[in-house]
Structure formats: structure tokens, C-alpha cells
Amino acid sequence: MKRNVIVGQSGGPTAAINSSLAGVYLTAKECGAKTVYGMLNGIQGLLEGRYIDLSEHIKNGLDAELLKRTPSSFLGSCRYKLPAAEGNEAVYEQIFATLKELDIEVFIYIGGNDSMDTINKLSQYAQAKGSEIRFIGCPKTVDNDLALTDHTPGYGSAAKYIAISMKELIRDSFTIDFKQGMCTIVEIMGRNAGWLTAAAALSKDEDCQGPDLIYLPEIPFDIESFKAKVKDLLAKKISVVVAVSEGIHTADGTYVCELGNSVDFVDAFGHKQLSGTASYLAGYIAGEFGCKTRAIEFSTLQRAGSHVASLTDISEGFEAGKAAIKAADEGKTGLMVVFERTSQDPYKCGTALRDVNKIANDERVVPREWVNADGDFVTDEFIAYAKPLIQGELAPVMVDGLPRHLAVPDGLRERA
Amino acid sequence: MKRNVIVGQSGGPTAAINSSLAGVYLTAKECGAKTVYGMLNGIQGLLEGRYIDLSEHIKNGLDAELLKRTPSSFLGSCRYKLPAAEGNEAVYEQIFATLKELDIEVFIYIGGNDSMDTINKLSQYAQAKGSEIRFIGCPKTVDNDLALTDHTPGYGSAAKYIAISMKELIRDSFTIDFKQGMCTIVEIMGRNAGWLTAAAALSKDEDCQGPDLIYLPEIPFDIESFKAKVKDLLAKKISVVVAVSEGIHTADGTYVCELGNSVDFVDAFGHKQLSGTASYLAGYIAGEFGCKTRAIEFSTLQRAGSHVASLTDISEGFEAGKAAIKAADEGKTGLMVVFERTSQDPYKCGTALRDVNKIANDERVVPREWVNADGDFVTDEFIAYAKPLIQGELAPVMVDGLPRHLAVPDGLRERA
């Protein structure tokens, strides 16, 4: 590598996305890159000419360690959908003009499904126009729904946050013996893929009985069957704990949260913003059985909880960034880094490369056989798959009682 | 001490309540107590004859360390309001008959305002009847609202959870530059006392700008003024973060969450269960300004988050348990352990004893002078007060990726 690298982060943050950024930066430097630029707010910021020189922020080993422990997207993010090249040449010409101006040799985009669509379009445009810039996708998503990869960096840390928090909530829920019992509904991220909600099962251990029911969005939600299950459980236990995905919906496709009229936002990709599922179900159960209920949403906390990140996840995030640079250094383009598990016990996993065209806009959901017949819990196969991903801790750098993060780059904070 | 001790936990759990239990158990054993019993579900369980021998659960040093790291109330809890002795002699006779049967010399109750009311009534009854049993209160509450003490064990850990989570959420909130900006409303526990909500300010650091606005229940909430402040902030910043107490209310006493019709539960003490404040305000701001909003409730997580407990808090929780036993061993009764800060910098704090009669049913709120003139942020005096309480970490005992807790005692789990 002789010239410059530019890297961006896109979509929702994860606890591992900055570890991938550290992997990209340090490996690019090792490979001889002169300057490593960071787009502010992804491709949208690039179109506005907003980028930074990462060497001004990662000045030494301590900065790199802090970056690995920093929640959110260090460079900021966007949900900008790159239009098709046909009919939108001006957008592409602007991007490539900026890349030429910055003497860019390698373009790395750290993101999920939508971001891989961007890499796909840019690499195809580059090839059509004879550009030598290489475009490599670096995977991240808390949702774990990228195709062709065993799992995705960001998932393990969110799963660990969920497992730890579920364990704490379940313990708390047995505190008081309410007359009619108590039912806690915990709402977990995942619009179409239930990987995160399934992670609630990881809380089950010799010192924790785990949740009683788990409902994923892959399986139509039947409220009558749910009611009957909760009724049976309340007759036996003082506390019933249910994990539900924000995206659970009835057989006719109606989101459960829509039953409570809580949908109020549609993003640039046309995704509905979902929330209120737990609140709706808690109200429903309280109405049916007169028991105490709690509705809890892990909300943004589950993806921002860097203080309980999984070491496995943070390490793999770093490896993904490293592999992306290595691939580009070898002249490859239009590919995404994936993970391949070569051994389950002991857990062994390495990186490989796949055509980004086959990954973009495809969603990998939890296989039906990893959910029990009743559709209300996950199987041991899921546990065996997910458990290795939450192993190990990366001790936060604690200063004055709080985890220290790498300082926010200028240009993200205030309105332009 | 020559005979037996009984200890119970009451009210809402905290991350330090089991450290106090460890302090009570280990110190009682040191002082010569034969058996240390634990009431299951507090005084309510005692009335049902439910208790355990703690030596069967705390068998060695590792068990004690796990207990200190276990969230929720190890012994279970209750919200049972002990009636006045007059006209309810049967209840008191039953309690004292059980205590006699168990050869109890010392009765320790770990709890908040309502629990100190129980200690007060029992100690007065004992004195009236010539019983030699000593009754000592051991303070705990996440709310920090007990009178006559500098602060209360449980508060520091919840404050630390809030500061860390706020820091992570604030960082996450600057990820995407939404067209109309984003406003995040974070709802924090505290019905009448804003100590926990004020702790959101502790997130402010050289790597975090902290929340923009903080609203405590001590000061009437003016929605028009709130709207104007958010409008100004949205004009300058891509992300505005507001911390609100669940108990904020308008000048006429209407809870903000009642404006959204979310009150659905009244507990045995007549306290309304509050939630939906963040959700209501987020909807209001979205409607007024068309910006993206997020409503986040820390909910049970803030009191159950043992994995980020404050070492200062856990240590002081232990000291409170120890001091309670020492006081009883010296023959004292009708007292509660309090904390007295003897030096601010360096922080030094010790235990003392106060008449429980002066503590019960009194609420200590955040002083007006620790809130700014506009009533929308805390002062540096509050920061100086609270910062020492979140210092230090107690590393969780991690097993297979999750914090290990002491196993739940039999008798708490299933319906009797």
C-alpha cells in the first residue's frame, strides 16, 4: 500500500465497531498507508467533504486501546442510501472526485446490510469506470443478520449485555411475592432477526433459571397461546420473565407494538421504528390476570454497553478490520470480510472473504430448528452457537469511577 | 452475643443490600452469635414462619464474596406495612413468639424509610413489653432519601450505573445527524427525591459533555419552559439529552407521566407506580418539533446492575451491616446506622447511630441550593457530594462469560 486509505462507519453502532476501526487504522499503517482518513458520518459526510486524519486522534497505543473501549461509532454514522448509479451519476462523480483528491487507494466501510449495499454499488461503479480504488466491507451489526458469515462483530457484546442484564433482572424479579404474581416483559432489539432476543437464554446458568419464554420475530406471535402460557406459569411461580423481540408480529404481519399504536417513525430505508411491544404486552397481561407487570426495554443500552463488551467480540472486530485492509492490500475489491467457525469446542473462528454482492440486502434469520416446537424458547444448538461469542472481558479503563473513552472528534458535535 | 441473630431485607433491592447482609452475618459470627437466621421476604415471611439458617448458604469466604456481588435481595423482600401495635397485638405477639422460639437476641432489618418504621414499632413494642431483644436498622435505598445520614448504601452503585449508562447513551446519541436533530429523554428512579436523577450529571467528564438538562421531582416541572429550552438546544446541537425523574410533576401536583395516562398500580404503602414520563415527553417533543426522539427508562436495571457496583458503596454497605451488629452487641436498640462524612477531600466517611424514631417516614430531598436557578441542572456542590460515592470497582466473578451470583435460597422461587 503506497497511498491513502479512507474508512467510514455506517448504520447503528455496536460495541465492536470502533475495535474494527482500530484494526483498520493500525493495519493500514503497518501496510504502508500514508494517511488514513476517517469519513465523518459515513458516506453522507464524505459527500459534504467532512473527514478527518485519524493519526491526529490515534496518536499512540493508549489511544488505540481507548478507541477499542469507546461505545458508539467514533466517526459518527449515517443511514444514507446510495442511489443506483444509473440516473445518479453526479453523486458517484462527486464521491470519486473526493477520493481522487485525497489520493485514496483503499475504501473501507464498516457496516451492516445497508452498508454492504453501498460497497457493492461503489465497487461496481469503480470497475465499470476503470478506477483502481479497492472497496472492502467490514461487517458489524448487533443484529447478527448478515448473510454468509458465521456471526457478525457487535453481536457478541450486545448478547453479553443482554445475558448479564437478564440475569440481574430475573434475580430482582423474585424479590417480592406479589399476591397475583409478577410478569416482566423484556423487549430486545431485532426487527426481523431474533438473534439478540435469543441471547436472553444465555442468562440461564446454575445460579439463574433464565427467562421463561422467548419470542422471536421469525415465528408468528399468537397472543392467545402467549396468554395461556403466562397463566400456567403464574400459577406455579411468583415471577414470570418473558423476552420478546421488538419485531414480533401476528400471523397477518401486524407488529405487536402496532396493537398499542406506538409506531411513529420510518427511517430512510423505509424501516419502521418499533418500540412499545413490552409495554403493550405488560398492559395486556395486567388486564387479563390482575398481576403486577414490568415492561423493560434494553433500548440503546444493549448496543452502547461497552463496559461489558465481550473480549471475543472486540478481538474479532479488530481482526475484521485487519482482514479488510489485508484484502485491499492484496488488490481485492467488492468483498466483505466474513467469519468461519472451524471448531465448536474448543471454539475456533477465522476470517475469510465473500462477494459483497451476495451479502448486500440479504437477511440471515435464526433457523427454525434452533427454536423449540412451541416457538417460545431456543434450543441447546442455539446456546452452543452463541455461548462462545460472549466469552471474555475487556477491562474498561476506569478513571475517577467511570470508563474512559477516546475523545469525540471535532465536527461531530455541533450543527454545521 | 450469646444467642441468635435474625436479619431481614425489605423494600426495593440495591446492589449493596447483600453486602450489608454479608457484613451482618460475618460480624455476628465474630461476635459469638450461635445461629444467624435470615427471614425470607422480610417481616412478611417471618409472619409465615419462613426463614433460613444463613450458615447453610455462606459456607466460606468465596460464598461471602459472591454474596457481596449478588444483585437483588438475597433473602427476598416485602412491602409489608407493620400496623400500629394498638389494636393489632396479635401480629406483634406472633412475631415475638417466633423470635422467642428461635432464641433471638438481635433483630436486624436492612431497608429504607418504610423498614425503619418497622424497626421503630418493634423496638417500642419490645421496650413496652420488657423484651430484651435489640432491634437495629441497617440503611439501604437507591433513592438516598433517608434522613440524618450523609448518604445511604445502594445509592452509590445505582448512581454509578446511571453515570456509566448516561455516558454510553450520550455518546451513542451523536451517531447520526438527523435532519431535525434528536432528543433523548432518559427516565430515572426517584418519586420525591431526585438524588438518582441528579447522578446523571456525573457522566460529564473530559470525554463526555453530560446531559443538557436535568429535572428533579423537588422542583415543579414547567412544560413550556422545557419546550423552549429543548428548542434552543436543537437549534445548536444534533443531539439533546435530558434526564428526568419518574416523579416530576407540574406545579399543581400532576405527575408528568399521568399526562400520558400511564399510572396503573398503587402499592401497599399507597405509592403510585410511576413510569411513562420519558415516553410522554419524547412524544410531546416529537410532536412539537418533528425531531427524532428516544425514550429510555433505566427501570429495574439501575438498581440491579451489580456488575458495575461502586466499590465505595459495597464497602460501606458491609460496614453498615457490621456497625448494626456491633451496636446490638453493645446492647443498643431502636437505632439505625448512619454515615457521617468527616472529610470531603480526601473523602472520609464513618458510621454512627441515630434514633430510628427520628428517621422513619421522613424523606430527605436534594437541597434547593444544589440545583441551579433555572431548576434544570445540578450545581458543582452536588457533584462534589456524589462523586466520591461512585469511586472504585468490585470486579465481578466471571464464569463462562457471566457474573456469578450466590445461589438463590430454596423457598423464594416457587409459589408456596
Side-chain angles (χ1 to χ4, degrees):
Chain A
M1 210 172 280
K2 289 174 180 162
R3 293 180 291 132
N4 302 330
V5 169
I6 193 161
V7 54
Q9 296 173 314
S10 173
T14 78
I17 193 168
N18 292 330
S19 185
S20 291
L21 181 61
V24 166
Y25 176 77
L26 294 174
T27 312
K29 283 296 188 182
E30 265 176 38
C31 290
K34 276 193 210 153
T35 302
V36 182
Y37 292 102
M39 313 170 206
L40 293 178
N41 296 113
I43 194 88
Q44 188 173 10
L46 188 68
L47 279 163
E48 295 160 2
R50 294 165 54 229
Y51 46 81
I52 55 175
D53 177 345
L54 276 170
S55 68
E56 292 171 13
H57 299 269
I58 311 170
K59 293 185 289 291
N60 50 46
L62 176 58
D63 287 342
E65 288 303 318
L66 289 175
L67 179 59
K68 284 157 76 173
R69 288 160 172 83
T70 297
S72 182
S73 304
F74 177 75
L75 296 169
S77 185
C78 67
R79 293 202 182 275
Y80 178 80
K81 190 168 173 67
L82 192 65
E86 207 181 306
N88 297 287
E89 284 80 5
V91 174
Y92 286 76
E93 282 162 15
Q94 192 189 333
I95 292 170
F96 279 82
T98 306
L99 298 182
K100 190 174 175 186
E101 193 186 309
L102 296 177
D103 199 22
I104 298 300
E105 191 178 344
V106 170
F107 181 113
I108 309 284
Y109 215 34
I110 308 170
N113 289 314
D114 299 326
S115 313
M116 295 310 135
D117 178 69
T118 297
I119 283 288
N120 193 25
K121 284 171 174 161
L122 289 174
S123 63
Q124 287 183 356
Y125 183 88
Q127 283 168 319
K129 298 289 178 181
S131 161
E132 286 181 359
I133 301 172
R134 279 94 74 193
F135 294 85
I136 302 285
C138 182
K140 77 81 214 171
T141 166
V142 289
D143 291 324
N144 202 37
D145 59 353
L146 286 177
L148 305 181
T149 183
D150 178 79
H151 62 279
T152 312
Y155 174 64
S157 293
K160 187 174 180 112
Y161 176 93
I162 290 164
I164 291 176
S165 298
M166 282 300 296
K167 196 169 171 177
E168 291 175 339
L169 288 179
I170 290 167
R171 186 78 178 217
D172 189 283
S173 78
F174 282 93
T175 307
I176 292 183
D177 184 358
F178 290 99
K179 227 177 219 166
Q180 318 288 337
M182 180 165 78
C183 182
T184 303
I185 316 273
V186 184
E187 179 172 337
I188 299 175
M189 281 181 173
R191 188 178 285 109
N192 303 315
W195 297 104
L196 281 179
T197 307
L202 299 176
S203 63
K204 200 170 175 175
D205 208 341
E206 57 188 77
D207 56 338
C208 177
Q209 61 185 273
D212 297 289
L213 299 166
I214 297 179
Y215 291 103
L216 311 186
E218 284 85 350
I219 293 169
F221 183 75
D222 183 275
I223 200 155
E224 287 300 324
S225 149
F226 165 69
K227 184 175 106 179
K229 297 257 181 188
V230 171
K231 188 181 178 184
D232 284 354
L233 286 160
L234 282 171
K236 282 183 284 191
K237 306 179 66 182
I238 69 166
S239 162
V240 176
V241 179
V242 184
V244 299
S245 159
E246 61 181 353
I248 55 169
H249 48 76
T250 56
D252 68 0
T254 309
Y255 286 114
V256 170
C257 64
E258 286 180 298
L259 303 173
N261 299 317
S262 299
V263 172
D264 54 0
F265 185 79
V266 176
D267 75 11
F269 292 90
H271 305 145
K272 283 178 183 175
Q273 179 172 309
L274 307 176
S275 85
T277 305
S279 173
Y280 173 77
L281 291 177
Y284 173 78
I285 289 296
E288 291 290 324
F289 303 123
C291 61
K292 178 165 164 66
T293 57
R294 266 184 200 153
I296 293 170
E297 290 183 38
F298 287 151
S299 184
T300 312
L301 294 163
Q302 64 202 296
R303 73 179 191 200
S306 291
H307 71 278
V308 287
S310 150
L311 180 60
T312 301
D313 187 38
I314 298 297
S315 304
E316 290 182 346
F318 191 91
E319 289 303 314
K322 187 173 174 176
I325 288 291
K326 292 278 183 195
D329 196 40
E330 290 165 8
K332 291 171 181 146
T333 188
L335 301 175
M336 185 187 86
V337 175
V338 296
F339 285 85
E340 289 184 340
R341 193 179 305 217
T342 52
S343 163
Q344 176 74 289
D345 187 15
Y347 172 72
K348 284 184 194 169
C349 202
T351 60
L353 297 160
R354 290 284 175 279
D355 187 345
V356 77
N357 189 29
K358 294 189 176 128
I359 292 164
N361 303 318
D362 192 8
E363 273 185 323
R364 189 176 63 111
V365 298
V366 178
R368 182 62 185 87
E369 61 270 25
W370 285 6
V371 181
N372 68 3
D374 279 6
D376 58 18
F377 213 83
V378 293
T379 65
D380 289 345
E381 286 75 16
F382 169 79
I383 304 284
Y385 162 82
K387 197 83 184 176
L389 310 180
I390 67 164
Q391 297 298 312
E393 292 75 46
L394 184 72
V397 178
M398 301 299 289
V399 179
D400 209 12
L402 295 178
R404 177 56 53 96
H405 305 143
L406 192 59
V408 179
D410 286 345
L412 273 190
R413 278 277 155 88
E414 307 301 321
R415 287 232 161 274
Chain B
M1 210 171 281
K2 288 175 182 161
R3 296 181 287 132
N4 301 330
V5 169
I6 193 160
V7 53
Q9 296 173 315
S10 173
T14 78
I17 193 169
N18 292 330
S19 185
S20 291
L21 181 61
V24 166
Y25 177 77
L26 294 174
T27 312
K29 283 295 187 184
E30 266 176 37
C31 291
K34 277 193 213 156
T35 301
V36 181
Y37 292 102
M39 311 170 209
L40 293 177
N41 297 113
I43 194 86
Q44 189 172 9
L46 187 68
L47 279 162
E48 296 160 1
R50 295 165 54 230
Y51 47 80
I52 56 175
D53 177 347
L54 276 168
S55 68
E56 292 171 13
H57 299 270
I58 311 169
K59 292 185 290 292
N60 50 46
L62 176 59
D63 287 342
E65 288 303 319
L66 290 176
L67 180 59
K68 284 157 77 173
R69 289 160 173 84
T70 298
S72 183
S73 305
F74 178 75
L75 295 169
S77 185
C78 67
R79 291 201 182 276
Y80 178 81
K81 192 169 171 67
L82 192 64
E86 208 183 305
N88 297 287
E89 284 79 6
V91 174
Y92 287 76
E93 283 163 16
Q94 192 188 332
I95 292 170
F96 279 80
T98 305
L99 298 181
K100 192 176 175 186
E101 192 186 310
L102 295 177
D103 199 22
I104 297 299
E105 189 178 343
V106 171
F107 180 113
I108 309 283
Y109 215 36
I110 308 170
N113 289 314
D114 298 326
S115 313
M116 294 312 134
D117 178 67
T118 297
I119 283 288
N120 192 26
K121 285 172 175 160
L122 289 175
S123 62
Q124 288 183 355
Y125 183 88
Q127 284 169 316
K129 298 289 178 183
S131 162
E132 286 180 359
I133 302 173
R134 281 93 76 195
F135 294 85
I136 302 284
C138 182
K140 76 81 215 171
T141 166
V142 289
D143 291 324
N144 202 37
D145 59 354
L146 285 179
L148 305 183
T149 182
D150 177 80
H151 62 279
T152 312
Y155 173 64
S157 293
K160 187 174 180 117
Y161 176 94
I162 289 164
I164 291 176
S165 298
M166 281 300 296
K167 196 169 171 176
E168 291 175 340
L169 288 178
I170 290 167
R171 187 79 178 219
D172 189 285
S173 78
F174 282 94
T175 309
I176 292 183
D177 185 358
F178 290 99
K179 225 175 218 169
Q180 318 288 337
M182 180 165 77
C183 182
T184 303
I185 316 274
V186 184
E187 180 173 337
I188 300 175
M189 281 181 173
R191 188 179 284 111
N192 303 314
W195 297 105
L196 282 179
T197 306
L202 299 176
S203 63
K204 199 170 176 176
D205 208 341
E206 59 187 74
D207 55 338
C208 177
Q209 62 185 271
D212 297 289
L213 299 166
I214 296 179
Y215 292 103
L216 310 187
E218 283 84 349
I219 293 169
F221 183 75
D222 183 277
I223 201 156
E224 287 301 323
S225 149
F226 165 69
K227 183 174 110 178
K229 296 257 180 185
V230 171
K231 187 180 179 184
D232 284 355
L233 287 161
L234 281 171
K236 283 182 282 190
K237 306 179 65 182
I238 68 166
S239 163
V240 176
V241 179
V242 184
V244 299
S245 159
E246 61 181 353
I248 55 170
H249 47 78
T250 56
D252 68 1
T254 309
Y255 285 116
V256 170
C257 64
E258 287 181 298
L259 303 172
N261 298 318
S262 298
V263 174
D264 53 0
F265 185 79
V266 176
D267 75 12
F269 292 90
H271 305 146
K272 284 179 182 176
Q273 179 172 309
L274 308 175
S275 85
T277 306
S279 174
Y280 173 77
L281 290 176
Y284 172 78
I285 289 296
E288 291 290 325
F289 303 123
C291 61
K292 179 166 166 61
T293 57
R294 265 185 202 153
I296 293 171
E297 288 183 39
F298 287 152
S299 184
T300 312
L301 294 163
Q302 63 202 295
R303 73 179 191 199
S306 291
H307 71 277
V308 287
S310 150
L311 180 60
T312 300
D313 187 38
I314 298 296
S315 304
E316 291 183 343
F318 190 91
E319 289 303 315
K322 187 173 173 175
I325 288 291
K326 292 277 185 196
D329 196 38
E330 292 164 8
K332 292 170 180 148
T333 188
L335 302 174
M336 185 187 87
V337 175
V338 298
F339 285 87
E340 290 185 339
R341 193 180 304 218
T342 52
S343 163
Q344 177 74 287
D345 188 15
Y347 171 73
K348 284 185 194 169
C349 202
T351 59
L353 297 160
R354 289 285 174 279
D355 187 344
V356 78
N357 188 28
K358 295 191 175 123
I359 292 163
N361 303 316
D362 192 9
E363 274 186 321
R364 190 177 63 112
V365 299
V366 178
R368 182 62 187 86
E369 61 270 26
W370 285 6
V371 181
N372 67 5
D374 279 5
D376 58 19
F377 213 84
V378 293
T379 64
D380 290 345
E381 285 76 15
F382 169 79
I383 304 283
Y385 163 82
K387 196 85 184 175
L389 310 181
I390 68 164
Q391 297 299 312
E393 291 75 45
L394 184 73
V397 177
M398 300 300 288
V399 179
D400 209 14
L402 296 177
R404 177 56 53 97
H405 305 143
L406 191 60
V408 179
D410 286 345
L412 273 190
R413 277 278 155 87
E414 308 301 320
R415 285 233 162 274

